[in-house]
Amino acid sequence: PKGPILDTAVGTGHMLEALQKMDPNRPICGSDLSPDMVDHAKNRLTNALYVKCADMSKLQGLVDDESVIAVLNNFALHHVSEETATECFMEWARVLKSNGRLLVSCWEGSGEMDYGDMIGEDQQVFSHRWSKDQIGNWATTAGMKLIYGREFLEEDFGSENTYYAIFQK
């Protein structure tokens, strides 16, 4: 299918860079809440349609309805509340074209975790774990269906479970 791919937590742009290497003619665009990450991604993704600072739950004005073929969200859901996560899924469904795909990866489970030690931080860094059922409920509520889901044990990150899922609108 034709259309751009949007990374809603673009970070330094490594995911979109890898995708662009596989399909150099595919339009890519990215957003991130951090101005520093946006600057890094802009330097890496010189052919992007745009890389802008934006909240992944509020893309109105940046991304048109049904305008992208895929949305990526790689390890960013752990930064938001349950209410904001619900808003994210609704927003991602809004911008996806019919039959478009959402790729989500996150910490799987329940409750909070401190991953400061895992990333070499001297301070505590708290994040949420979300169950695969909760993620599935958010996607279903937003009008998407699960087409692939898999849990992995991330031994490099303190043996935490991760969940990777692909949903289709």
Side-chain angles (χ1 to χ4, degrees), residues 14-75:
H14 68 281
M15 294 288 287
L16 286 180
E17 180 183 49
L19 289 170
Q20 196 164 49
K21 285 179 181 176
M22 290 187 295
D23 187 356
N25 296 318
R26 171 76 60 189
I28 58 171
C29 40
S31 66
D32 201 288
L33 194 58
S34 166
D36 289 340
M37 290 296 108
V38 167
D39 288 343
H40 285 293
K42 281 181 179 179
N43 289 332
R44 178 176 266 165
L45 305 170
T46 57
N47 293 328
L49 294 175
Y50 61 82
V51 179
K52 297 193 176 186
C53 201
D55 182 326
M56 65 186 179
S57 69
K58 296 174 179 67
L59 299 170
Q60 196 77 22
L62 178 64
V63 187
D64 293 334
D65 294 357
E66 298 187 2
S67 62
V68 298
I69 194 67
V71 171
L72 308 177
N73 189 267
N74 190 39
F75 284 95

